């Protein structure tokens, strides 16, 4: 292995002690040459994240309020870190120019990006590393995704030898100005740097020792996953697991770079490896995740199966009304569509009337407050008994299953249950597969 790219999140950079831990981790392995940093995060629960301070500064200027107290807070945090590390990264000068630009009405994204910018300047100085500017190296599409132009621009800017540090979270947008990714977007920058530097591994350093098999707010002692594939993780994240920025998987997946989630405060813990599919672990499930906030639209019509284009018409109406759908299990004479409740207000959108008019169903109804629970794992493919274990567990926990969906890829089994049964359902499935 030649090169490891590592990204450190906000809690890993919250103060001087954390900066020192990061430097120690980087220096421990000479292959760790490419570093991406977030803005300093919370030092304790009530502490504001630097990015939130920056966003509030922008908001205050916009509302013609005085941003001075927040600018002072920002100055103090960065100057304290620079002083504590005994380096000269020229932060006072950067902060002066920042304040001047803010008072002249600087852009929101530029302001929001300065946390990462200052953080990377300090880290580069502290490590004696080359500073790589993300602006002009990383490019974003109008939708805030990675623009392919990045691959041409960033690679040639990286030194052949030695350490280099790049700020996360931002790059250049289509209009040539600084643009940020969505919140938590430094994970994406880390993956971008890993791909551009042709890294063999992308380490994502955070404050947990890997990803857990279930939400710890529901299963308090959920076990960490040793290994999870890109696709398993995407399914879990989509189904509510709040783990790792989903868009960060793509650049690594495209270049087959495994990702390791590791803990800055417990660097010896193995963490979780996110790997290509051919390296999937041999166990029936990778994890279980779920979220509430769905509605089921149920349509019945005798001899529906003989009618061509029925499903297309229903989905067409939803499309015209700007509603996307999650699942659509159907029977001979019935079809149901599971929809995000936020997207769909049956009383306002006129969707039901439109369906009535166009499709002339026998009955149509909407049931709200559904939760979807996804049990995910490549290991369930071609393995008998996974579904029976899952449904037995739900039955024993008295959880009624409203909808069932298993994709042909056998990567996940999704069940729709009453929102009130979400935690009970996740517990039951977790216990059936992990504790037994
Ligand atoms: N600092 C940014 C945020 O708070 C990006 C990141 O930390 O990944 O969202």
């Amino acid at each position: 292995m030649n090169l490891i790219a590592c990204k450190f999140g906000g809690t890993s950079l919250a103060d001087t002690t954390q900066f020192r831990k990061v430097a120690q981790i980087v220096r421990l392995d000479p292959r760790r040459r490419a570093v991406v940093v977030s803005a300093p995060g919370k030092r304790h629960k009530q502490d504001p994240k630097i990015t939130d301070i920056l966003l509030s500064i922008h908001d205050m200027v916009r509302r013609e309020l005085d941003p001075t107290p927040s600018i002072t807070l920002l100055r103090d945090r960065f100057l304290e870190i620079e002083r504590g590390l005994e380096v000269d990264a020229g932060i006072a000068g950067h902060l002066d120019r920042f304040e001047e630009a803010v008072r002249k009405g600087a852009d929101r994204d530029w302001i929001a990006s300065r946390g990462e910018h200052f953080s990377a300047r300090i880290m580069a100085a502290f490590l004696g590393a080359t500073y790589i500017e993300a602006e002009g190296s990383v490019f974003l599409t109008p939708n805030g995704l990675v623009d392919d132009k990045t691959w041409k621009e960033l690679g040639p800017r990286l030194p052949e030898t030695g350490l280099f540090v790049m700020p996360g979270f931002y790059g250049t947008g289509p209009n040539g100005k600084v643009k940020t990714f969505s919140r938590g977007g430094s994970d994406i920058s880390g993956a971008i740097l890993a791909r551009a530097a042709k890294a063999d591994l992308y380490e994502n350093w955070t404050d947990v020792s890997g990803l857990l098999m279930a939400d710890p707010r529901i299963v308090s002692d959920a076990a960490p996953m040793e290994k999870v594939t890109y696709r398993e993780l995407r399914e879990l994240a989509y189904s509510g697991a709040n783990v790792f920025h989903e868009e960060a998987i793509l650049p690594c997946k495209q270049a087959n770079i495994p990702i390791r989630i590791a803990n800055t405060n417990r660097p010896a813990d193995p963490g979780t490896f996110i790997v290509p599919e051919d390296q999937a672990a041999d166990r029936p499930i990778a994890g279980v995740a779920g979220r509430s906030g769905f509605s089921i639209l149920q349509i019945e019509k005798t001899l529906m199966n003989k009618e061509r284009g029925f499903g297309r018409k229903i989905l067409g109406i939803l499309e015209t009304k700007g509603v996307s759908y999650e699942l659509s299990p159907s029977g001979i004479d019935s079809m149901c569509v599971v929809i995000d409740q936020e997207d769909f207000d049956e009383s306002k959108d006129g969707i039901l009337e439109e369906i009535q008019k166009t499709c002339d169903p026998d009955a149509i109804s909407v049931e709200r407050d559904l939760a979807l629970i996804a049990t995910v794992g490549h290991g369930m493919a071609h393995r008998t008994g996974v579904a029976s274990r899952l449904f037995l567990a739900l039955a024993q926990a008295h959880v009624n299953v409203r909808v069932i969906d298993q994709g042909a890829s056998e990567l996940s089994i999704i069940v729709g249950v009453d929102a009130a049964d979400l935690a009970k359902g996740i517990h039951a499935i977790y216990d059936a597969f992990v504790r037994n």
Side-chain angles (χ1 to χ4, degrees), residues 183 241 396 404:
R183 291 301 302 267
Q396 283 171 343
I404 304 173

Side-chain angles (χ1 to χ4, degrees), residues 307-320 335 358-359:
E307 204 174 310
R308 298 224 155 78
F310 193 88
R312 181 187 52 76
K313 281 186 217 154
I314 303 276
L315 297 182
I317 293 167
L318 293 176
E319 183 185 349
T320 325
M335 170 173 177
T358 318
C359 306

Side-chain angles (χ1 to χ4, degrees), residues 7 9-10 38-39 49 51-52 112 116 168-169 182-187 245:
K7 175 258 168 179
S38 277
K49 291 174 74 168
T51 309
D52 290 324
E116 272 68 15
F169 192 38
S182 52
R183 291 301 302 267
S186 296
D187 283 347
H245 210 299

Side-chain angles (χ1 to χ4, degrees), residues 314-386:
I314 303 276
L315 297 182
I317 293 167
L318 293 176
E319 183 185 349
T320 325
K321 301 280 182 188
V323 176
S324 70
Y325 76 99
E326 312 292 324
L327 306 173
S328 177
S330 49
I332 310 179
D333 289 339
S334 72
M335 170 173 177
C336 72
V337 188
V338 178
I339 305 165
D340 205 316
Q341 223 151 268
E342 258 183 25
D343 258 12
F344 176 61
D345 184 341
E346 68 271 22
S347 58
K348 281 203 213 113
D349 297 340
I351 291 176
L352 303 191
E353 291 76 6
E354 189 70 29
I355 294 177
Q356 195 70 53
K357 210 167 66 200
T358 318
C359 306
D360 191 28
D362 301 334
I364 176 164
S365 62
V366 178
E367 232 179 276
R368 293 172 71 81
D369 299 325
L370 182 83
L372 295 180
I373 302 177
T375 306
V376 178
H378 285 290
M380 67 176 68
H382 315 299
R383 182 177 265 162
T384 51
V386 174

Side-chain angles (χ1 to χ4, degrees), residues 55-363:
L55 289 169
S56 78
I57 290 174
H58 173 259
D59 194 48
M60 279 182 233
V61 175
R62 194 179 55 84
R63 289 161 48 206
E64 294 178 12
L65 299 172
D66 180 17
T68 309
S70 295
I71 294 178
T72 307
L73 209 62
L74 184 80
R75 264 184 198 282
D76 291 349
R77 285 282 300 268
F78 277 112
L79 290 175
E80 192 183 309
I81 294 173
E82 190 190 41
R83 216 176 303 121
L85 295 174
E86 298 171 37
V87 287
D88 181 7
I91 290 300
H94 284 297
L95 286 161
D96 288 344
R97 287 189 290 280
F98 167 80
E99 181 162 358
E100 207 179 304
V102 163
R103 296 196 187 276
K104 284 188 185 143
D107 279 359
R108 180 186 183 276
D109 279 22
W110 182 83
I111 294 179
S113 72
R114 294 304 91 182
E116 272 68 15
H117 182 84
F118 300 148
S119 185
R121 292 263 177 211
I122 298 177
M123 188 54 86
F126 189 50
L127 288 170
T130 307
Y131 173 81
I132 306 288
E133 178 49 62
E135 186 183 353
S137 311
V138 171
F139 290 86
L140 286 85
T141 66
N143 299 334
L145 302 174
V146 186
D147 189 319
D148 281 339
K149 197 172 150 195
T150 303
W151 312 123
K152 269 208 299 287
E153 298 292 334
L154 181 57
R157 286 181 164 76
L158 307 178
E160 292 284 329
T161 54
L163 268 171
F164 45 96
V165 179
M166 183 179 91
F169 192 38
Y170 72 91
T172 301
N175 59 1
K177 289 188 179 170
V178 165
K179 185 171 168 69
T180 57
F181 289 108
S182 52
R183 291 301 302 267
S186 296
D187 283 347
I188 310 174
S189 310
I192 291 171
L193 189 64
R195 178 171 161 186
K198 299 193 171 53
D200 304 280
L201 177 66
Y202 168 33
E203 288 181 335
N204 191 282
W205 290 85
T206 165
D207 55 2
V208 290
S209 291
L211 309 176
L212 301 175
M213 294 183 77
D215 186 337
R217 286 167 303 184
I218 296 175
V219 180
S220 57
D221 60 345
M225 303 191 241
E226 263 168 58
K227 236 191 206 183
V228 57
T229 69
Y230 304 128
R231 277 184 68 196
E232 286 171 336
L233 193 64
R234 173 138 167 75
E235 288 268 347
L236 288 167
Y238 173 75
S239 306
N242 178 16
V243 283
F244 178 62
H245 210 299
E246 265 185 81
E247 287 151 34
I249 296 174
L250 197 63
C252 288
K253 190 174 170 197
Q254 285 160 340
N256 255 330
I257 302 170
I259 304 166
R260 177 182 168 219
I261 310 289
N263 188 346
T264 301
N265 303 316
R266 296 174 60 95
D269 287 356
T272 299
F273 279 87
I274 308 170
V275 295
E277 260 161 77
D278 58 1
Q279 293 171 35
D282 184 29
R283 35 99 182 101
I285 75 158
V288 52
R291 62 186 165 107
S292 50
F294 296 100
S295 292
I296 315 185
L297 173 64
Q298 196 157 341
I299 306 126
E300 282 172 35
K301 187 170 189 183
T302 310
L303 296 180
M304 183 192 284
N305 66 325
K306 295 263 188 267
E307 204 174 310
R308 298 224 155 78
F310 193 88
R312 181 187 52 76
K313 281 186 217 154
I314 303 276
L315 297 182
I317 293 167
L318 293 176
E319 183 185 349
T320 325
K321 301 280 182 188
V323 176
S324 70
Y325 76 99
E326 312 292 324
L327 306 173
S328 177
S330 49
I332 310 179
D333 289 339
S334 72
M335 170 173 177
C336 72
V337 188
V338 178
I339 305 165
D340 205 316
Q341 223 151 268
E342 258 183 25
D343 258 12
F344 176 61
D345 184 341
E346 68 271 22
S347 58
K348 281 203 213 113
D349 297 340
I351 291 176
L352 303 191
E353 291 76 6
E354 189 70 29
I355 294 177
Q356 195 70 53
K357 210 167 66 200
T358 318
C359 306
D360 191 28
D362 301 334

